[in-house]
Amino acid sequence: MKKLVDNSQQLLNDVLNQRREELYPSYSAQDYFEIFCSEQVLKEYDLSYEEIYSGIVDGEHDGGIDSAYSFVNGEIIVEDLDISPFKRDVRIDLHLIQSKTSGGFSEGPINKLISISRHLLNLTANYDEFSQYNQAVKAALDNFRKAYRGLASKFPSLYIHYHYASQKADASVHNNLRLKADELESVAKELFPDAEVNVEFLGARRLLELARRRPKTTYELRVSKSFNAANSLVVLSPLKYYASFLKHSDGRVRADLFESNVRDFQGNTEVNAEIVNTLDKEKSVDFWWMNNGVTIIGTKASLNGDTVTVENPQIVNGLQTSTQIAQHFREQSDDLRSVMVKIISSEDEETRDKIIKATNSQNYIQPATLRATDKIQRDIEEALKAVGLFYDRRKNFYKNEGKSAERIVSISLMAQSVMTLLLSRPDAARARPSTLIKKDTDYGKVFSQKMPIALYSNAALLIGHVDRVIRARTDLRARDRTNLRFYVLLWIASVAAKHAPLNAISIASLDVKSITNNDIEEAIGEVWILYEQLGASDQAAKGSEFPKLIISKLEEKLTTNRSGIGKIIRT
C-alpha cells in the first residue's frame, strides 16, 4: 500500500520562511529555527524576543544544547536574578532544547545530551575542567545551578525538560531512540532523584501544532455576587475559583497576569503574614471582609451569568493577596469564602496607566517602580516610532502585534545602551541586565526629561545596528557577541562623535545613518584586541578594567586623529 503524503514538512518550511522574513530578516535559517523552537516550546512563559534570544547557546562545543532556559515560579533565571523573594512553594523548570534543520531524529544528539547532563548538571562540578563546552552553555547551566542551590532550603520542586526538535523529522520515533531517551531521563534522575524529567521529540507535525496554538488572551472568572457599572465590575469570587483563574493547567501561577503590577511578591512581610493568617485561621468570617481585594484591568470585560470573561487581564493591585491565595490552594481543595475583585475595562493605554499608578499609590512605594507609566517612557515610545522602532514599554505589546523582532527595543536594552553611552559603563550594562535601573538613583541617571529625546532614538538605532553586524560574524562565539556588544557600541559612538567620554548632546547629535557596517566591523576589531588582552571572558566583560582600557584607547586614538588633522591644515 502506498504511503500517504504528509505535508507537514513543507508547511513547516513555508511557515519558517515567512516568519523569518517578517520577524528576523537578517537571521540565517538555522539561527531562526532555534528561536522558533524556543518560542514554541516556551509559549506559556510569554517571553520577549530579547529573553528568547538570551537563551541561545548554539555554536562550537555546545554539547548538543542549542538553547537553555531555566525558570523560578515562571520567572526566567538570569545571571543577576534576585532569588530572595522566593520563600515557599518554589518550582524550578529547566528546559534544554536541541534544534536541527537537517535530517531526522538520530541517537547522536541524545548521546551528547547524556554526556553534558552528567558533566554540567552535577551541582559540585568544576566547570573549568570541561573545556569541551563553550562559555555560553556553561553560563546558562550555571545560572540554573546557582538558583537551585540558593533555594535549596526551600526544597524546590524541580522539572527537567529535554526537547529534541527536527525540522525534517516526521512523527515516528524509532524504538532504539526511545531507549536512548529513557537513558537520558535516568541520568538526570540520578543527579536529581526527586525531579520530574521528560524527553520530548518535536517533528514537523508537532512543531506546526505548537505554532498554531495562540497565547491565551481571554480568561474566565467564576463569581458568586456582582455589581455592574459602566466599563467596570465589582465581584465576589469564591477563593478556589480565583485560585484557578491565577494558574496554568499544570498548576504554575501565570506570571504574565502580573506584568503591570509595580510590586514584586514581597515575601515574609507583616502584611503577607496577616494574609496567610486570615486564609489559614480566620474561617469564621469571610475573607473579603478582612482584605482590600484585587484590581484587574482588561481591554474588555463582560458578565454572563456567574462568569466574567476578561480580555487581556492584568492584576494591577493585589499581587500579595493573589500569590497567597494561589499558595493556599496548593493544600486546600475546598474553601467557601470569597475575595473581592474590581474589574475595569479600557482600551485606552493612558487611562490604563493612570489606573495602574493610582491603584499602587495608596501606600508609599519607590517612584521608580512606576517607570513604565512615566512620561519619559511614553516620550521615548513616540520618539522611537518616528525612526521606525517600537519601544517595549509594555512587555510584548508589539510582539503580539507581529512587529519585527529587530525593530523592538525593551526598556532594559534602552537602559543598558544609554548607561553605556552616557555613563561609559558597558561593564554594568553587561553584568546587570535585569537589575540595572532597580535603584531610583540609577534610573534617574539614565531616564530623564532633561535629556534630549534624540539621545534615546539614537541609542536604539545604534545598538540595533551593532547587534546586526555582530550577529553576522560567525567567527565569534555566542558568548563573545554578548560580551562585546556594548563595548562596540561605546567605541563606534565615540569615534563618530570624535570625542570620549560622550555626553547627552553629542549622543543626540550623532548622524547615525552615516555609520556603515564597515565602521562597525572596524570597531569590533579594535575592541576585540583589548578584550583578548584581558582574557576574552565573561569576567573581563563584567569587570571595571575593560571600560577604563576602552576609554583610554579611544582618547589616544581621537587625540591622534585630531593632531593629524591639525598638521594637514597647517601645511
Side-chain angles (χ1 to χ4, degrees):
M1 183 176 177
K2 188 176 180 181
K3 185 179 179 181
L4 293 175
V5 174
D6 185 347
N7 287 319
S8 299
Q9 290 183 28
Q10 182 58 55
L11 287 172
L12 178 61
N13 189 56
D14 293 340
V15 168
L16 290 168
N17 288 336
Q18 291 163 24
R19 286 197 177 182
R20 181 165 67 93
E21 187 176 330
E22 292 168 3
L23 303 175
Y24 291 86
S26 70
Y27 280 59
S28 68
Q30 172 64 41
D31 288 345
Y32 175 63
F33 185 63
E34 290 165 1
I35 290 172
F36 174 84
C37 291
S38 296
E39 187 175 16
Q40 305 317 314
V41 164
L42 305 173
K43 191 168 281 185
E44 283 195 343
Y45 292 97
D46 197 32
L47 299 182
S48 67
Y49 286 129
E50 201 169 315
E51 288 169 333
I52 292 169
Y53 187 70
S54 72
I56 305 296
V57 297
D58 175 36
E60 192 176 9
H61 307 306
D62 60 27
I65 298 174
D66 291 322
S67 311
Y69 305 84
S70 48
F71 303 85
V72 180
N73 288 357
E75 182 174 347
I76 190 168
I77 298 174
V78 292
E79 50 202 321
D80 60 337
L81 177 68
D82 178 14
I83 61 173
S84 61
F86 301 103
K87 302 298 183 183
R88 62 175 188 169
D89 298 320
V90 176
R91 170 178 173 141
I92 297 179
D93 288 85
L94 174 64
H95 292 266
L96 304 175
I97 306 171
Q98 163 69 230
S99 313
K100 288 182 62 179
T101 55
S102 60
F105 297 124
S106 62
E107 294 184 20
I110 301 292
N111 286 330
K112 287 184 178 181
L113 289 173
I114 290 171
S115 181
I116 198 171
S117 295
R118 283 198 175 109
H119 294 155
L120 300 190
L121 291 188
N122 184 334
L123 294 178
T124 60
N126 179 0
Y127 278 12
D128 291 338
E129 296 176 358
F130 297 103
S131 58
Q132 67 267 43
Y133 303 121
N134 67 41
Q135 282 188 352
V137 72
K138 287 194 284 190
L141 293 181
D142 202 31
N143 287 341
F144 156 74
R145 291 199 313 172
K146 287 174 181 175
Y148 187 74
R149 292 185 66 179
L151 291 165
S153 64
K154 310 299 185 292
F155 301 102
S157 301
L158 177 61
Y159 298 80
I160 301 175
H161 316 266
Y162 294 94
H163 311 273
Y164 180 4
S166 176
Q167 184 179 343
K168 303 296 184 184
D170 56 26
S172 61
V173 178
H174 194 276
N175 285 340
N176 289 346
L177 207 54
R178 294 282 183 194
L179 292 173
K180 275 292 175 185
D182 291 343
E183 184 181 344
L184 176 57
E185 287 185 22
S186 297
V187 167
K189 291 284 285 185
E190 285 172 16
L191 291 163
F192 302 97
D194 296 324
E196 185 173 311
V197 184
N198 64 80
V199 180
E200 179 183 25
F201 293 91
L202 302 166
R205 186 182 299 177
R206 178 60 178 151
L207 286 169
L208 276 175
E209 288 174 2
L210 292 174
R212 289 190 183 102
R213 199 176 67 200
R214 297 295 180 203
K216 196 172 180 181
T217 59
T218 301
Y219 292 84
E220 294 182 344
L221 174 65
R222 289 274 299 275
V223 302
S224 57
K225 300 286 184 183
S226 63
F227 171 77
N228 197 346
N231 299 321
S232 62
L233 292 160
V234 179
V235 304
L236 294 181
S237 178
L239 289 174
K240 66 178 181 180
Y241 294 129
Y242 184 69
S244 297
F245 173 79
L246 295 172
K247 297 178 180 180
H248 290 288
S249 57
D250 63 3
R252 286 184 297 113
V253 173
R254 293 174 46 229
D256 56 294
L257 276 176
F258 302 102
E259 285 170 0
S260 292
N261 194 296
V262 301
R263 294 184 183 90
D264 199 351
F265 180 58
Q266 301 297 306
N268 294 332
T269 64
E270 185 178 346
V271 171
N272 281 329
E274 286 297 322
I275 296 172
V276 171
N277 183 66
T278 304
L279 285 167
D280 291 346
K281 298 177 181 178
E282 297 289 349
K283 300 293 180 73
S284 61
V285 295
D286 208 333
F287 179 76
W288 72 274
W289 295 2
M290 304 181 70
N291 184 273
N292 291 332
V294 176
T295 302
I296 297 175
I297 59 172
T299 50
K300 291 180 182 176
S302 60
L303 176 65
N304 186 11
D306 64 353
T307 302
V308 178
T309 302
V310 189
E311 186 177 286
N312 301 312
Q314 284 285 295
I315 296 171
V316 298
N317 198 312
L319 182 147
Q320 315 304 319
T321 295
S322 298
T323 302
Q324 298 296 0
I325 290 173
Q327 292 177 347
H328 180 66
F329 276 89
R330 287 176 68 94
E331 300 172 357
Q332 298 286 330
S333 59
D334 195 24
D335 194 321
L336 299 177
R337 294 172 297 167
S338 299
V339 61
M340 182 176 68
V341 184
K342 291 191 294 183
I343 304 170
I344 304 166
S345 58
S346 176
E347 295 188 15
D348 180 70
E349 282 300 327
E350 190 168 354
T351 299
R352 288 159 65 88
D353 283 348
K354 286 179 180 177
I355 294 167
I356 293 169
K357 198 161 191 174
T359 54
N360 284 281
S361 298
Q362 294 144 357
N363 299 306
Y364 178 73
I365 57 173
Q366 293 295 324
T369 58
L370 296 170
R371 288 163 194 161
T373 66
D374 284 353
K375 185 176 186 302
I376 182 60
Q377 300 296 339
R378 287 185 165 280
D379 290 345
I380 294 171
E381 186 174 19
E382 293 305 313
L384 263 59
K385 281 182 181 176
V387 295
L389 300 177
F390 303 97
Y391 191 46
D392 202 29
R393 184 175 66 84
R394 298 147 292 175
K395 183 183 175 184
N396 284 343
F397 178 83
Y398 292 109
K399 178 188 175 187
N400 294 337
E401 284 199 341
K403 304 300 183 185
S404 169
E406 297 178 17
R407 293 192 171 276
I408 296 175
V409 181
S410 68
I411 290 180
S412 60
L413 180 57
M414 179 63 77
Q416 289 171 295
S417 302
V418 174
M419 182 163 278
T420 294
L421 296 170
L422 191 60
L423 304 180
S424 301
R425 293 295 311 277
D427 54 326
R430 170 64 187 89
R432 298 191 289 126
S434 68
T435 59
L436 192 64
I437 53 172
K438 222 170 185 180
K439 295 180 180 177
D440 290 345
T441 51
D442 292 333
Y443 177 75
K445 291 175 184 176
V446 173
F447 293 110
S448 171
Q449 288 186 264
K450 295 178 181 178
M451 306 280 192
I453 198 67
L455 178 154
Y456 299 102
S457 52
N458 278 351
L461 289 167
L462 271 174
I463 189 61
H465 195 173
V466 167
D467 280 345
R468 283 190 294 275
V469 175
I470 285 184
R471 193 166 51 245
R473 289 284 297 265
T474 55
D475 58 316
L476 295 176
R477 297 170 299 180
R479 203 63 177 175
D480 291 331
R481 292 196 287 268
T482 299
N483 285 338
L484 292 175
R485 61 195 297 227
F486 295 113
Y487 289 92
V488 173
L489 173 66
L490 180 59
W491 187 282
I492 193 67
S494 301
V495 170
K498 297 184 174 62
H499 71 88
L502 296 160
N503 57 54
I505 299 298
S506 60
I507 300 166
S509 303
L510 286 173
D511 181 8
V512 176
K513 291 182 180 178
S514 68
I515 297 173
T516 66
N517 287 2
N518 287 337
D519 293 331
I520 295 176
E521 289 283 7
E522 186 176 330
I524 293 171
E526 299 270 18
V527 170
W528 177 264
I529 293 171
L530 306 180
Y531 176 59
E532 207 166 31
Q533 284 178 18
L534 295 173
S537 66
D538 286 4
Q539 289 71 27
K542 297 175 186 178
S544 58
E545 288 304 309
F546 198 3
K548 290 177 185 176
L549 188 56
I550 287 283
I551 291 295
S552 174
K553 289 294 182 182
L554 277 168
E555 289 175 341
E556 180 184 321
K557 175 184 178 72
L558 294 169
T559 300
T560 301
N561 288 348
R562 282 194 291 270
S563 300
I565 292 170
K567 290 176 183 177
I568 292 170
I569 292 173
R570 284 193 295 275
T571 303

